């Protein structure tokens, strides 16, 4: 058991409840939009598979995929 | 998507549960060393009143005792004796100063080298010849036995409880009384003790409605016992949980607190004399008489709970109802079959809640320090009560959480931290596993709040999307490399698209 009285920490922090960046109701919309963007950018990259397009389309596409996948899996009920 | 891992988890935990259950059984009941320990006779019980409450499916005892230090030195430990063989069934033992209930610092623990004592340590030593009034409460699990052990499906069930009319004590007792609180007035048998034992010359027990009193008794030596027993009607299930596993998963990304409970229940009540008759059971459904079968479990959940599920080994159990509104959220679950005496049922229930109600950012912290407050035990709330042989609560914190501290009022037998790997994890989530044995359902909710603090650095917070992002980017890079590999046969000539015209 920890030495600090943790109940007091809980009471003292009453004014700061945890606020998720994205609420449960918008997760599906956001996740879907981001995944669509990722697919779209992947398609654009595929049309012209060049080194110049790698940062131009590849980086935004992978960012959109990363965050989109996290929000999508939360939206379908597997809260990660 | 959720069911497959759930099923796998269920299978593995079933195996480990069986192993664990054996373990506790061995450790706490069978292999205790013989009693070699005798407490020093430093105290005298001036007055002792023992209340045994039998209204639920487990006896709950309250011992109010005025103790006096008769040694020459100040003493800070009082030894509480139990009847031989019952120590492994004692749970939730709490000691308080009866006159100053808010005084804290009393600790209680089983004495290691004995099979029948608990040591209660005071916040400050008690000087010689001083008195202290202790109020000690505890429950005894699996202490009631059905008698007769076999009944018909619609019969009344009677329970037998054996106890000692003299409270077991490690010290001499000047005056004492044992009071029983029974659930009904239907008490076919209660041991009658001769008036010669009673200090007031009355024959025991003295009955008053549903309370039976044995005593008062005069001076008794340490360790004096007077066997007595009572048999009373209790046509309710004796729900005994062999194991309860609770998972509490914190998701910062989803803003969700997911709770799952896996129960392994047994009804310890009287078994059926004849094979189960569906006709009799169906008939009784119309007039709903009291029954020794477990027919329904009610889970009062926290307000705002959502997405409740009730699943057993076969799959979803459709005889459940989940009602959630602004004031309450209730899950009413009917087991797949009525659980009669000797029968078992295992299932799992789960639900989600908004993380904002359970998690707070620590004030004055660096913005990445969090405090979580969840109930250690929830489970069903039954009028007749439930006893848990072993409760394993696992708090799954976000991946990368460090500096985990916890605090809870419930006595624990073990606490470990480890890693749990599941969806989208790279390193695994920090988990805190807490185990308690011999718990009863009055520890539900607020009484056994579990407070956990942890740090979650920014790097760890973005671990999941960035890991996915890195994976996708690597895929793009590979596709660029592979897409630009020259796989044409023959000498490459510049300026020709497709290379058809080469050579």
């Amino acid at each position: 058991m920890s030495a600090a009285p943790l109940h007091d920490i809980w009471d003292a922090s009453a004014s700061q409840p945890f606020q998720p960046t994205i609420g449960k109701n918008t997760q599906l919309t956001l996740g879907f939009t981001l995944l669509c963007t990722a697919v779209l950018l992947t398609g654009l990259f595929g049309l012209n598979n060049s080194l110049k397009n790698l940062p131009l389309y590849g980086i935004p596409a992978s960012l959109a995929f990363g965050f989109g996948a996290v929000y999508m899996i939360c939206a379908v009920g597997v809260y990660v | 998507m959720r069911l497959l891992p759930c099923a796998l988890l269920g299978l593995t935990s079933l195996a480990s549960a069986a192993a664990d259950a054996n373990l506790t059984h061995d450790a706490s009941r069978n292999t205790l060393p013989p009693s070699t320990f005798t407490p020093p006779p430093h105290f005298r019980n001036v007055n002792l009143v023992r209340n045994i409450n039998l209204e639920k499916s487990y006896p709950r005892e309250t011992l109010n005792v005025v103790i006096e230090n008769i040694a020459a030195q100040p003493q800070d430990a009082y030894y509480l004796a139990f009847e031989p063989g019952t120590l492994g069934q004692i749970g939730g033992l709490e000691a308080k100063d009866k006159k100053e209930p808010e005084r804290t610092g009393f600790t209680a623990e089983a004495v290691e080298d004995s099979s029948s004592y608990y040591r209660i340590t005071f916040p400050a030593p008690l000087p010689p010849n001083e008195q202290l009034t202790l109020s000690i409460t505890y429950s005894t699990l699996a202490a009631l036995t059905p008698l007769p052990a076999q009944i018909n499906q619609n019969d009344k069930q009677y329970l037998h409880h054996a106890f000692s009319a003299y409270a077991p004590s490690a010290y001499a007792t000047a005056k004492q009384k044992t009071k029983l609180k029974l659930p009904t007035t239907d008490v076919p048998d209660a041991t009658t003790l001769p008036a010669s034992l009673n200090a007031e010359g009355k024959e025991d027990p003295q009955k008053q409605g549903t309370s039976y009193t044995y005593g008062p008794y005069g001076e008794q030596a340490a360790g004096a016992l007077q066997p007595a027993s009572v048999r009373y009607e209790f046509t309710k299930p004796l729900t005994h949980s062999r194991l309860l596993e609770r998972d509490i998963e914190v998701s910062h990304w989803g803003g969700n607190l997911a709770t799952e409970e896996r129960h392994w229940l047994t009804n310890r009540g009287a078994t059926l004399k004849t094979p189960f008759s569906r006709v009799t059971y169906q008939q009784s459904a119309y007039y709903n008489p009291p029954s020794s079968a477990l027919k329904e479990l009610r889970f009062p959940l926290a307000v705002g709970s959502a997405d409740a599920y009730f699943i057993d080994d076969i799959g979803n159990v459709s005889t459940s109802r989940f009602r959630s509104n602004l004031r309450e959220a209730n899950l009413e679950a009917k087991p797949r079959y009525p659980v009669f005496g000797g029968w078992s049922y295992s299932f799992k229930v789960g639900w989600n809640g908004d993380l904002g109600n359970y998690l707070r950012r620590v004030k004055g912290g660096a913005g990445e320090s969090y405090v979580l407050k969840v109930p250690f035990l929830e489970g069903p709330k039954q009028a007749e009560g439930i006893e848990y042989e072993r409760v394993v609560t696992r708090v799954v914190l976000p991946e990368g959480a460090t500096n985990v501290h916890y605090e809870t009022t419930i006595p624990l037998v073990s606490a470990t931290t480890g890693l749990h790997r599941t969806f989208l994890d790279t390193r695994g989530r920090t988990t805190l596993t807490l185990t308690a044995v011999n718990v009863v359902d009055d520890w539900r909710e607020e009484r056994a709040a579990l407070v956990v603090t942890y740090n979650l650095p920014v790097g760890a917070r973005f671990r999941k999307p960035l890991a996915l992002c890195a994976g996708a980017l690597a895929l793009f890079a590979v596709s660029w490399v592979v897409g630009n590999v020259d796989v044409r046969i023959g000498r490459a000539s510049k300026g020709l698209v497709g290379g058809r015209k080469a050579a």
Side-chain angles (χ1 to χ4, degrees), chain A residues 1-24 27 38 41-42 45 49-52 54 57-59 61-67 69-71 73-74 76-80, chain B residues 1-2 249 251-256 307 352-364 370-373 405-408 410 423-424 429 449 451-453 461-462 464-466 468-469 472-473 476-477 479-480 483-484:
Chain A
M1 221 178 254
S2 164
L6 303 184
H7 274 94
D8 296 348
I9 297 181
W10 168 261
D11 292 335
S13 313
S15 57
Q16 300 186 328
F18 174 80
Q19 295 280 349
T21 329
I22 302 298
K24 273 186 185 178
Q27 282 166 0
L41 291 170
T42 310
F45 175 70
N49 196 347
S50 67
L51 185 59
K52 189 189 70 171
L54 195 59
Y57 295 131
I59 290 179
S62 36
L63 279 172
F65 175 73
F67 285 88
V70 166
Y71 279 119
I73 199 169
C74 286
V76 297
V78 182
Y79 291 99
V80 292
Chain B
M1 203 157 181
R2 224 191 141 97
E249 273 185 61
S251 164
H252 280 221
W253 280 106
N256 186 65
D307 315 325
N352 286 329
D354 271 331
L355 191 56
N357 300 334
Y358 303 95
L359 189 70
R360 291 172 180 172
R361 279 186 293 124
V362 172
K363 197 150 196 162
Y370 296 91
V371 54
L372 174 79
K373 189 181 182 187
H405 293 286
Y406 71 94
E407 190 178 87
T408 181
I410 201 157
F423 302 103
L424 296 191
R429 298 177 203 187
V451 182
V452 181
T453 58
R461 242 186 88 190
F462 286 97
K464 268 178 231 299
L466 292 184
L468 284 168
C469 179
L473 200 58
F476 284 125
S479 92
W480 170 71
N484 286 284

Side-chain angles (χ1 to χ4, degrees), chain B residues 144-147 157-161 230-234 238:
Chain B
L144 305 171
T145 42
L147 192 75
Q157 176 179 261
Y158 288 90
L159 297 184
H160 176 257
H161 180 53
V230 62
R231 196 167 76 93
Y232 57 96
E233 193 218 323
F234 189 84
L238 297 185

